């Protein structure tokens, strides 16, 4: 049972470059989420998807976009990376979108933008 | 916005008890989660409270008082493997999780 996988594990990126972080889950969960985690700030929601074909903005969506073409995959794209996007990115999923279900997190992607 | 406060760091001795407090001021309330996160790893679920009172699960217990906007996570019989960050997260009116910054617990021998 893989749960949630993320790729890459880590990446160093030049400012201005485009980058897609991949997230795949095999639990057939309806809802998926992208968070960033920064020291002293905790996890902050970037974008979410309640079900395949729908997406929504979280607390810090600027500079990021997502798509949800199917149940399993939820990629996060940085169109033109900036140093303030240096962070650890976690993808998560839950059975439903009601917020009351446990969220299961992927192993994270450590991104450095220079 | 959501405001969730928890102490930054706590240190305790192996075998002891530690209580991690979390206070919150959010747009509505639909439940509170505690997650554990070891350094360099993903957060993992510990507990969920939606009604006032104490939920016990082995060595870990979580308490909620909705009227006071307060929760705590109690870790008993501390073990070295309990050294981790503990994240308090509230489900607000939009049914999304808002996380506190986390409390790093260090267990000393």
């Amino acid at each position: 049972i893989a749960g949630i996988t993320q790729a890459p594990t880590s990446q160093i990126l030049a400012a201005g470059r485009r980058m897609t972080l991949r997230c795949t889950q095999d639990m057939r969960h309806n809802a998926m989420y992208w968070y960033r985690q920064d020291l002293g700030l905790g996890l902050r929601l970037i974008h979410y998807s309640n079900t395949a074909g729908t997406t929504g903005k979280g607390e810090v969506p600027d500079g990021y976009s997502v798509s949800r073409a199917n149940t399993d995959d939820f990629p996060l794209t940085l169109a033109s990376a900036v140093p303030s996007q240096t962070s650890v990115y976690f993808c998560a999923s839950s059975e439903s979108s009601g917020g009351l279900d446990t969220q299961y997190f992927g192993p994270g992607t450590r991104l450095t933008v220079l | 916005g959501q405001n969730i406060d928890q102490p930054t760091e706590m240190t305790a001795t192996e075998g002891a008890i530690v209580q991690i407090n979390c206070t919150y001021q959010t747009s509505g309330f639909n439940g509170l989660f505690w997650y554990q996160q070891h350094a360099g790893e993903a957060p993992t679920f510990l507990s969920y409270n939606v009604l006032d009172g104490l939920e016990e699960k082995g060595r870990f217990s979580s308490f909620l008082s909705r009227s006071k906007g307060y929760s705590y996570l109690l870790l008993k019989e501390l073990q070295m493997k309990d050294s981790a960050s503990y994240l308090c997260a509230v489900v607000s009116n939009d049914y999304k999780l808002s996380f506190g910054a986390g409390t790093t617990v260090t267990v000393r021998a």
Side-chain angles (χ1 to χ4, degrees), chain B residues 31-91:
Chain B
L32 187 146
F33 286 85
W34 284 96
Y35 281 82
Q36 180 189 58
Q37 185 178 23
H38 285 100
E41 297 183 8
T44 56
F45 168 79
L46 282 179
S47 68
Y48 171 68
N49 295 70
V50 65
L51 300 176
D52 286 357
L54 187 68
E55 294 278 344
E56 296 187 83
K57 193 181 293 186
R59 295 189 297 112
F60 293 2
S61 303
S62 56
F63 172 83
L64 175 67
S65 169
R66 295 179 63 150
S67 62
K68 295 182 178 177
Y70 168 69
S71 173
Y72 68 73
L73 180 69
L74 194 69
L75 286 61
K76 295 178 279 189
E77 301 170 18
L78 278 173
Q79 301 176 10
M80 300 300 288
K81 66 179 182 179
D82 297 330
S83 291
S85 287
Y86 292 86
L87 314 179
C88 174
V90 174
V91 185

